[in-house]
């Protein structure tokens, strides 16, 4: 029973009533496979409900119903999950023709119910049970966007919760960056202890000066007494000796401080540099899958921002915490040894200081966050309207956009003014508390000095006040340590998310292909990004070496996915893809990719010279190879006319390189590496027809004898194709020569008709006008 | 399409202004060609393209040393007419206003002042000590070796790199 409950897929703990049903199911020999714990009754009121699924039926538990209801799959037709507004339903046409709603829920569980609806309908269609069950379990996995143990929201669904995973592992990961500097760090701790000790000396000396030098009293510090005795009767000389002693302490304290800060800074910078190197290197090898769910901006943030947050925290823990602790203990020991009663008194304000600093940091942080959000709104108004200034002007929206900006800016200003009050008050109030502590010492201690109570002297009071004020620093440090811990934890989580992510898979005994003939075979390839909806469904085709293949289809039909799989950007597909008869998964990744010239729709250029951008594909290319590649790509001509020729920096002010020219540069980049196969992903989609002609011409020169895949919207791009694949909804629906497909009068025929119609219409319009 | 590279058998003569006339080894001539550097920054004396009036490349010189001395001299004169890149010998003063730098410098062509809009992008110091400077109007200047500048100039330069 126990194990069965564990095996049962569920999104939450089951209500008791549902557990009873699971038990009774198992007693009757049936097994509950998965359970969706819902949140709404059929009548639309909130309440715990559960829909249990077995291989043959669904059982509804609803606390507002007297008995569970059963729905047999065989009674159902056309199971449907329908999202309404704020709630959704699972319904089926029952035998007898009436559609019955059997589960109602809010959007939170909707993805699970979508999967469940598919599960039932697919089972009814007779699809294999195991496959369908796997799809459902993925849906459940994805629904886990909070940690099942502690309920904390996760970075992404299915991620490991950093609060619950073994702290040992995290410490081990991170200590790798600290360990090389262990010696320096330990040395730094010693230096810190030394400076701390030095900081403790001056109050003792000042107390001595007050007591012995000014009023000829006695001191409890024996070392200082020895010096005083040496100059008996000459207070000025004793004072000079004390001042020299103070000077020496200060020189030592701050001199060692310089060395320590320098060492700490170097260690810190080295740590963060090593951390950044690792994150960046890792980020280069992460599969495309990772970048699909993580924005590139956030990856950049992790490399630049989070790594330094983490580094600061690591140093704080290894250094400041140790030093502050030592300081705290040292001061308390000294104070107690001087006067235990007064020590207790001077500790009185501590709870207030701790509370005040906790209170303020709790209060201020949300305010800062609110200010940040207000500021984001201001800047998003800017980011929206300034690039679209043409639209603003053409619809005379200047006043409106100014009004919106002023409103958001006022929100920000109000918030900032509000924060100003608290932020300026906070340090003052803390200082006030500290000063109040000295008032107590003055009041109580001073009174005892006047009364002549034994053990109390003016010097004692003076040193005490100095010590007490030094005491509050470490106290506030420890009071706020947990906040910086929280911040560091968030950064750690984001960094480990990259460091521990699976890189692209490379088989251990992979082979490096030296030249590919270019025979491409897809055997029953299916692929889906999240395993619930298939982007490619059982795709099979063969492309012979040297064929030029056009891939057409509507947006989202799966054309680009075909190419992505062939490029091995994604590896998680079923079936196999063979090139020259070898499974591409067995190829060495970089060796394989360097055989394919891939030209994207959006040419992407680095901010470097034109020469280096072309030579990116083959580092160390000769000038003449690059020039030849530029010739083939019809790019040499316009490069010649740039004032800086091949030395033109792209992305620099005043560099006039158009989109079409960039596209030709990216073709030159592909040409340079002499690929065995070519892939053009809508290479001409975003350029005018004259540039298209130039690019087309470049492509024609290039594809000679090479297997070429061309994804295209404009069918004019495909005039060189000797074979067309029509992709629709993840299937290859037509496959043949253009003539064959035209004769077929299918989808391709229709596309040609539509496009030639628009072309005709265009021509007619133009003729009319002139 | 194969490119024509000039060799020592071909002759280059001055045509008009900075344009040149090329007489090929087979006796055929092309007039009114404009020599342009393909790598004006990284390799100014290699790969010089000769463009016709409409900017179409007619032939290419791999390196000036491929030509006979007289022809090479013609090309050099033409290039030095086309590419006016003063060599900065000394930075006399530097002023900064509203984020724009204003340099007053002594060059091999006389003293001049210019604005530098973005010090990060417009002053490039190479490892070798070679410095390229671009002013707000897109004029170019070079310092052949910043380590050989006088102390004052060097201090002014290095503060912005």
């Amino acid at each position: 029973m126990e194990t069965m409950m564990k095996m049962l897929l569920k999104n939450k703990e089951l209500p008791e009533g549902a557990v009873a049903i699971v038990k009774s199911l198992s007693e009757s020999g049936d097994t509950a496979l998965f359970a969706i714990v819902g949140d709404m009754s059929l009548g639309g009121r909130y309440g715990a409900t559960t829909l249990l699924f077995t291989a043959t039926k669904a059982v509804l538990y609803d606390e507002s119903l007297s008995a569970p209801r059963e729905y047999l799959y065989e009674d159902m037709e056309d199971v449907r999950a329908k999202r309404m507004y704020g709630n959704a339903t699972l319904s089926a046409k029952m035998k007898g023709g009436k559609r019955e709603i059997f589960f109602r829920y809010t959007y939170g569980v909707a993805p699970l119910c979508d999967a469940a609806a598919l599960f039932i309908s697919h089972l009814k269609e007779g699809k294999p049970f195991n496959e369908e069950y796997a799809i459902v379990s993925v849906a459940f996995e994805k629904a886990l966007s909070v940690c099942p143990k502690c309920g904390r929201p996760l970075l992404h669904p299915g991620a490991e919760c950093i609060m619950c995973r073994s702290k040992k592992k995290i410490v081990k990961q991170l200590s790798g960056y600290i360990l090389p500097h262990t010696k320096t760090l330990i040395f730094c701790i010693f230096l810190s202890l030394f400076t701390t000790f030095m900081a403790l000396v001056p109050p003792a000396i000042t107390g001595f000066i007050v007591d012995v030098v000014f009023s000829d009293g006695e001191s409890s510090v024996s070392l200082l007494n020895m010096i005083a005795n040496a100059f008996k009767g000459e207070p000025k000389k004793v004072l000079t000796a004390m001042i020299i002693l103070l000077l020496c302490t200060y020189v030592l304290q701050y001199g060692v401080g310089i060395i320590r800060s320098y060492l700490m800074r170097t260690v810190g910078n080295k740590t963060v540099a090593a951390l950044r190197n690792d994150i960046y290197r890792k980020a280069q090898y992460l599969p495309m899958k990772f970048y699909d769910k993580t924005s590139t901006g956030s990856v950049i943030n992790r490399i630049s921002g989070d790594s330094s947050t983490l580094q600061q925290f690591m140093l704080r823990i290894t250094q400041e915490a140790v030093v502050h602790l030592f300081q705290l203990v040292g001061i308390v020991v000294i104070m107690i040894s001087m006067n235990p009663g007064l020590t207790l008194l001077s500790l009185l304000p501590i709870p207030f200081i701790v509370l005040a600093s906790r209170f303020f940091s709790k209060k201020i942080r949300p305010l800062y966050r609110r200010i940040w959000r207000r500021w984001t709104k201001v800047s998003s108004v800017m980011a929206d309207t300034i690039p679209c200034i043409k639209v603003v002007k053409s619809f005379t929206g200047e006043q409106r956009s100014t009004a919106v900006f002023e409103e958001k800016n006022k929100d920000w200003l109000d918030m900032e003014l509000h924060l100003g009050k608290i932020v300026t008050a906070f340090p003052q109030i803390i200082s006030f508390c500290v000063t109040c502590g000295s008032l107590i010492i003055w009041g109580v201690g001073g009174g005892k000095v006047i009364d002549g109570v034994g053990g109390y002297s003016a010097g004692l009071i003076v040193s005490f006040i100095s010590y007490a004020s030094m005491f509050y620093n470490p106290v506030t440090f420890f009071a706020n340590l947990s906040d910086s811990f929280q911040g560091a934890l968030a950064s750690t989580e984001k960094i480990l998310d990259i460091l521990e992510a699976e890189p692209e898979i490379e088989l251990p005994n992979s082979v490096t292909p030296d030249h590919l003939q270019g025979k491409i075979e897809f055997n029953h390839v299916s692929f889906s990004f999240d395993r619930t909806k298939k982007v490619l469904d059982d795709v099979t085709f063969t492309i012979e070496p040297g064929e030029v293949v056009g891939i057409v289809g509507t947006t989202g039909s799966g054309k680009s996915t075909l190419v992505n799989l062939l490029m091995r950007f994604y590896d998680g597909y079923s079936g196999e893809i063979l090139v020259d008869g070898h499974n591409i998964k067995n190829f060495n990744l970089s060796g394989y990719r360097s055989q394919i010239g891939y030209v994207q729709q959006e040419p992407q250029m680095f901010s470097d010279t034109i020469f280096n951008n072309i030579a990116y594909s083959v580092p160390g290319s000769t000038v003449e190879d690059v020039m030849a590649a530029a010739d083939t790509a019809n790019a040499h001509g316009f490069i010649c006319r740039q004032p800086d020729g091949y030395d033109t920096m792209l992305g620099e002010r005043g560099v006039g390189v158009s989109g079409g020219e960039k596209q030709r540069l990216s073709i030159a980049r592909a040409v340079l590496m002499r690929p065995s196969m070519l892939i053009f992903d809508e290479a001409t989609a975003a350029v005018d027809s004259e540039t298209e002609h130039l690019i087309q011409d470049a492509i024609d020169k290039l594809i000679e004898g090479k297997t070429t895949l061309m994804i295209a919207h404009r069918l004019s791009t495909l005039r060189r194709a000797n074979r067309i694949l029509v992709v629709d909804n993840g299937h290859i629906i037509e496959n043949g020569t253009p003539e064959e497909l035209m004769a077929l009068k299918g989808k391709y025929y229709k596309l040609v008709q539509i496009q030639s119609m628009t072309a005709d219409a265009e021509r007619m319009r133009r003729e009319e006008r002139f | 399409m194969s490119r024509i590279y000039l060799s020592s058998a071909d002759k280059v003569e001055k045509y008009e202004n900075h344009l040149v006339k090329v007489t090929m080894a087979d006796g055929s001539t092309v007039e009114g060609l404009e020599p342009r550097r393909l790598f004006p920054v990284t390799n100014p004396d290699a790969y010089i393209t000769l463009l016709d009036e409409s900017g179409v490349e007619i032939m290419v010189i791999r390196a000036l040393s491929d030509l006979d001395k007289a022809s090479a001299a013609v090309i050099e004169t033409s290039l030095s007419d086309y590419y006016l890149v003063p060599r900065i010998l000394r930075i006399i003063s530097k002023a900064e206003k509203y984020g724009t730098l204003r340099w007053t410098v002594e060059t091999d062509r006389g003293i001049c002042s210019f604005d530098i809009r973005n010090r990060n992008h417009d002053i490039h110091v190479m490892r070798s000590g070679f410095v390229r400077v671009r002013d707000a109007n897109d004029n170019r200047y070079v310092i052949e070796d910043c380590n050989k500048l006088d102390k004052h100039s060097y201090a002014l330069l290095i503060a912005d790199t």
Side-chain angles (χ1 to χ4, degrees), chain A residues 210-258:
Chain A
V210 170
D211 271 355
V212 181
V213 182
F214 293 168
S215 50
D216 203 21
E218 272 296 309
S219 167
S220 52
V221 189
S222 50
L223 180 76
L224 296 179
N225 273 332
M226 268 163 58
I227 300 173
N229 287 332
F231 300 104
K232 199 95 191 150
E234 286 172 289
K236 280 235 165 118
K237 278 194 177 161
V238 181
L239 182 65
T240 320
M242 287 305 126
I243 288 172
I244 292 172
L245 197 60
L246 269 181
L247 183 71
C248 292
T249 358
Y250 288 143
V251 167
L252 280 175
Q253 185 188 340
Y254 294 109
V256 171
I258 292 173

Side-chain angles (χ1 to χ4, degrees), chain A residues 624 631 636 641 644 646, chain B residues 3 38 47 55 57 62 140:
Chain A
E624 278 167 44
D631 275 335
H636 182 74
R641 290 188 283 276
D644 276 334
Y646 280 89
Chain B
R3 192 169 273 117
L38 283 175
Y47 294 101
E57 179 180 281
R62 258 201 198 91
R140 319 293 169 107

Side-chain angles (χ1 to χ4, degrees), chain A residues 369-655:
Chain A
R369 252 179 254 140
R370 277 169 78 184
I371 284 195
W372 182 80
R373 281 196 295 270
R374 298 284 185 285
W375 176 244
T376 339
K377 279 190 184 149
V378 174
S379 48
S380 79
V381 171
M382 291 192 282
D384 254 11
T385 49
I386 304 282
C388 298
I389 193 74
K390 242 184 187 165
V391 181
V392 173
K393 280 183 183 300
S394 56
F395 293 97
T396 58
E398 295 97 333
Q399 272 184 9
R400 274 173 288 157
S401 77
T402 315
V404 172
F405 184 81
E406 277 169 6
E407 185 195 320
K408 302 287 182 219
N409 208 16
K410 186 173 182 313
D411 287 348
W412 168 81
L413 179 67
D414 289 345
M415 210 60 226
E416 198 64 84
L417 293 180
H418 178 55
L419 179 77
K421 285 179 208 151
I422 298 174
V423 164
T424 43
F426 169 60
Q428 307 294 339
I429 287 175
I430 292 282
S431 309
F432 175 75
C433 289
V434 173
T435 326
C436 283
S438 73
L439 291 185
I440 298 172
I441 302 176
W442 276 123
V444 179
K448 296 218 167 149
V449 174
I450 294 173
D451 291 345
V453 180
Y456 287 88
S457 67
L460 177 80
I461 309 286
V462 171
S463 347
F464 243 90
I465 286 170
S466 311
Y467 281 128
S469 64
M470 282 165 65
F471 191 74
Y472 301 124
N473 236 339
V475 168
T476 42
F477 171 84
F478 284 112
N480 292 318
L481 189 64
S482 76
D483 295 340
S484 66
F485 176 67
Q486 293 296 334
L489 203 63
S491 292
T492 312
E493 184 175 29
K494 287 190 236 157
I495 287 176
L496 290 185
D497 191 46
I498 289 189
L499 286 183
E500 293 187 344
E502 283 292 324
E504 288 176 302
I505 303 154
E506 187 91 83
L507 288 179
N509 47 358
S510 59
V511 288
T512 313
D514 33 283
H515 184 80
L516 296 174
Q517 296 300 313
K519 184 182 166 114
I520 302 170
E521 290 164 88
F522 272 56
N523 283 338
H524 304 286
V525 173
S526 298
F527 177 75
S528 72
F529 286 100
D530 50 11
R531 287 202 265 171
T532 43
K533 186 185 175 291
K534 281 182 178 166
V535 188
L536 290 183
D537 192 4
D538 197 19
V539 168
T540 302
F541 61 85
T542 308
I543 294 170
E544 295 301 329
E547 270 190 316
V548 177
V549 182
I551 303 175
V552 295
T554 48
T555 337
S557 56
K559 309 184 292 277
S560 296
T561 310
L562 275 182
V563 167
N564 282 336
L565 293 191
L566 188 62
M567 284 298 286
R568 280 194 66 190
F569 288 141
Y570 299 92
D571 265 348
Y573 54 87
S574 64
E576 41 177 23
I577 301 175
L578 307 178
V579 169
D580 287 2
H582 295 282
N583 191 327
I584 56 171
K585 283 182 183 174
N586 294 333
F587 284 135
N588 169 290
L589 249 186
S590 54
Y592 171 65
R593 281 189 190 146
S594 65
Q595 295 286 319
I596 306 175
Y598 180 46
V599 179
Q600 299 178 50
Q601 180 176 3
E602 290 288 325
Q604 294 185 331
M605 295 286 136
F606 300 102
S607 51
D608 203 338
T609 62
I610 287 184
F611 181 86
N612 288 342
N613 262 293
I614 298 177
Y616 189 83
S617 56
V618 184
S621 307
T622 66
V623 172
E624 278 167 44
D625 282 347
V626 169
M627 276 162 60
D631 275 335
T632 315
N634 282 340
H636 182 74
F638 83 82
I639 299 172
C640 281
R641 290 188 283 276
Q642 290 287 329
D644 276 334
Y646 280 89
D647 284 334
T648 305
M649 288 289 288
L650 292 178
E652 209 169 60
R653 162 173 65 95
V655 172

